[in-house]
Amino acid sequence: MSKRILSLLLAAVCVLTASGAWAGSVDAQASHIPREMASFLLLLGIIMVSARLGGLAFDRLRLPATLGELTAGVLLGPSLLGGVSLPGFPQGLHGVAARYLEPGGAMIGIVLCALMALLFLIGLETDVRLTRRQTPLSVWIGLGGSLGAMLLTAAAIHMGSRWLPDRAPALLSPTGLFLCAAAAFSSVGIAARSLAALRRLESPEGVGIMSAAAVDNLTGILLLTVATGYLTAMEGHAAGSAAVLGLVLRNLFLVAGAGVVSLTLARQIARAHKDLRHPAGAATFAIAIALLMAGIFGRSGLSALAGAYLAGLSLAGTDWRHDIQERMEIMHAAFVPACFTLLGMCLDLRLLLESETWLLAALFAAAAIVGKLVGCLGPARLAGFNSRGCLRVGLGLTPRGEMSLAVAAIGFFAGVLRGVDLAAVLLLLFVTGLAASPLLRLAFGGNRSGLRNAFQAQSARQLSFQFPSLTATKMILARLIDVLEEEGFHVQLLNRRSALYQLSKDQLVIGLHPEGTRMVVDCTAADQPLVNSAMIEVLAGIEHHLRELRRPLDAVNLARGMLRESQPRQAAGSSLKGLLSVNVLRPRLLADTKAAAITELIEML
């Protein structure tokens, strides 16, 4: 984005703030409810613009955009710009936001819808068939990393509760369970973008990281469901070891039953999709299913967001997936970053001045990072990786991103993660997000194989196709994905912001992503002929469509009719003037091929 656009956005924020202040000072006799609604809309607009600017700034620095959105929220917090008194807002923007962050406030509804859209899209992008096609050891890598992170985080929470009983949470408490759930997730987008920049996305380590990250999501969602159910039990005064065990069994039974029912419905929906002519209606029906699943889970004392994720997971294998993604993209792009910015506004920077905060945050971050590395070590060794490869896989699963932030947002608005606990989660995200790319660059340095059998590694190729415009690049990318899907490839969107795709079929793995007006394809040397043939098929199909578009529009007859209507009637006259007609004079032919030119000349005669 250019500096001119950034300056216009900043000016828009100033105008919104000034107009809101003017409305608050002049319209003093207006109704209270409309003024509150106007203040809420003003605050939401400022948060959305700030989130967009923070994400763009960090994206320009080749850093995760999620951290930029959090940073924008920290700047708008009570300790910095949010606490500055403004005309009409004596307590600053944070004073306005505090009214809507109370239980039952309007902002909580926006956050819930945004997080539901996020979890639904993540579930929609998780292809279960693709996970089943991976080697079982790749699945065990993700499971081992999640369990290692959760167990070591649980040990760190137990140690912290003994060292600082007044500040650290207890292990068997909703706060402790939410912290373990936040540590379990791995960020697919951050790791995929770093690997794509290193041209290692299609390496054995990259494929293992992407497969394991999908299992991380499933494990973390299950733990989040247990934590939410335990919170419900605490509210019902049913805490205790027996209650926790019964709660876990009940949650597992409900999730398994809901999963079977939703997958069965998804198969029926996939069969009925061919009879539906309106994609918008199909997308609406799918969103309704997500709301129903979220409501059923929420009423059962489980996490409503887990229901949205399960609904997206059940629809991931249907033909509706692309239509739903296109129609929900605007909601994700607008409200999910604003949700993360709002979470950053809730961080009290004064806690960072206390040594106890840094001690607990460091203990939590170290346990989450080391737990991932240690948990991946055994399964990665069994999968055929050497020590270097195990380190690469572990580092690729270390960064935390949107899913961990979603857990933190749920815990914050439920009153579970506040103060030091929220600061510990956000510091974990900053540390792992900023360190992921440099650490992976060092781990993949030297161009050495990460497999015990070096013969299994294949040489990588990066193909680049240049197009005249961004629109043409996006169109070719979408068409190439469709062609490869028809060939049996499974598509996985790894990074939504960078439009980074991974397509796999059996042992073939191909990466696709646009870079301006170029489309970059990462593959192995053996897969290069397949990519070239698919690109030829795409271009041939586009050329065929262009020829088909020329046929219905009979430009020759259309031009002839226009000239005939515009030509005045002439009296039968003399010699040359009566013999020549303007309809047989053409200064430039409309055809662009030899055959079309001959046809046009014959039609003129």
Side-chain angles (χ1 to χ4, degrees), residues 1-7 60:
M1 180 175 289
S2 62
K3 296 180 179 179
R4 182 178 180 182
I5 298 178
L6 291 176
S7 61
R60 282 292 185 90

Side-chain angles (χ1 to χ4, degrees), residues 281-368:
T284 304
F285 186 67
I287 295 173
I289 292 176
L291 293 174
L292 289 173
M293 292 289 293
I296 292 172
F297 270 56
R299 293 293 297 176
S300 301
L302 306 177
S303 174
L305 301 184
Y309 174 81
L310 188 59
L313 188 67
S314 62
L315 295 172
T318 65
D319 295 334
W320 292 4
R321 181 177 54 175
H322 299 300
D323 294 332
I324 299 171
Q325 286 176 344
E326 292 177 0
R327 284 162 175 78
M328 293 194 66
E329 185 63 31
I330 182 62
M331 184 175 182
H332 177 274
F335 291 105
V336 174
C339 175
F340 296 155
T341 299
L342 186 64
L343 189 63
M345 290 178 62
C346 299
L347 178 63
D348 190 359
L349 293 181
R350 292 173 297 183
L351 293 173
L352 302 181
L353 302 178
E354 302 178 3
S355 59
E356 296 177 351
T357 302
W358 288 102
L359 176 61
L360 293 175
L363 186 63
F364 174 71

Side-chain angles (χ1 to χ4, degrees), residues 235-452:
E235 293 176 353
H237 305 288
S241 57
V244 171
L245 180 59
L247 198 65
V248 171
L249 295 177
R250 183 181 72 99
N251 291 345
L252 289 175
F253 177 76
L254 288 176
V255 171
V260 172
V261 172
S262 59
L263 289 176
T264 304
L265 288 175
R267 293 179 180 177
Q268 300 298 325
I269 290 170
R271 295 175 182 175
H273 176 266
K274 298 179 181 179
D275 300 331
L276 297 176
R277 300 179 180 179
H278 302 288
T284 304
F285 186 67
I287 295 173
I289 292 176
L291 293 174
L292 289 173
M293 292 289 293
I296 292 172
F297 270 56
R299 293 293 297 176
S300 301
L302 306 177
S303 174
L305 301 184
Y309 174 81
L310 188 59
L313 188 67
S314 62
L315 295 172
T318 65
D319 295 334
W320 292 4
R321 181 177 54 175
H322 299 300
D323 294 332
I324 299 171
Q325 286 176 344
E326 292 177 0
R327 284 162 175 78
M328 293 194 66
E329 185 63 31
I330 182 62
M331 184 175 182
H332 177 274
F335 291 105
V336 174
C339 175
F340 296 155
T341 299
L342 186 64
L343 189 63
M345 290 178 62
C346 299
L347 178 63
D348 190 359
L349 293 181
R350 292 173 297 183
L351 293 173
L352 302 181
L353 302 178
E354 302 178 3
S355 59
E356 296 177 351
T357 302
W358 288 102
L359 176 61
L360 293 175
L363 186 63
F364 174 71
I369 294 172
V370 176
K372 279 284 183 183
L373 293 173
V374 174
C376 296
L377 180 61
R381 294 287 295 183
L382 294 176
F385 294 102
N386 55 23
S387 300
R388 189 180 298 107
C390 294
L391 179 63
R392 292 171 179 173
V393 172
L395 290 176
L397 293 174
T398 297
R400 270 69 169 182
E402 290 183 333
M403 292 292 285
S404 296
L405 273 177
V407 174
I410 297 169
F412 176 81
F413 291 109
V416 175
L417 293 180
R418 295 293 177 96
V420 178
D421 306 318
L422 179 63
V425 176
L426 296 185
L427 287 176
L428 172 66
L429 266 73
F430 272 101
V431 170
T432 56
L434 294 176
S437 184
L439 291 178
L440 285 174
R441 190 179 299 111
L442 290 175
F444 280 96
N447 200 21
R448 297 179 180 178
S449 174
L451 298 175
R452 289 201 297 267

Side-chain angles (χ1 to χ4, degrees), residues 138-228:
S138 298
V139 177
W140 282 108
I141 291 175
L143 187 60
S146 297
L147 292 178
M150 288 188 293
L151 291 177
L152 209 57
T153 301
I157 293 173
H158 181 67
M159 292 172 59
S161 62
R162 298 188 64 179
W163 293 345
L164 301 172
D166 297 333
R167 302 297 299 272
L171 177 59
L172 290 180
S173 66
T175 302
L177 292 178
F178 268 87
L179 288 176
C180 292
F185 292 103
S186 297
S187 175
V188 180
I190 295 176
R193 183 171 180 176
S194 301
L195 292 173
L198 298 173
R199 296 176 56 182
R200 298 289 186 176
L201 188 59
E202 278 62 55
S203 64
E205 296 91 336
V207 174
I209 291 170
M210 296 301 106
S211 302
V215 182
D216 276 351
N217 291 337
L218 294 173
T219 308
I221 286 292
L222 182 61
L223 183 61
L224 176 63
T225 304
V226 174
T228 309

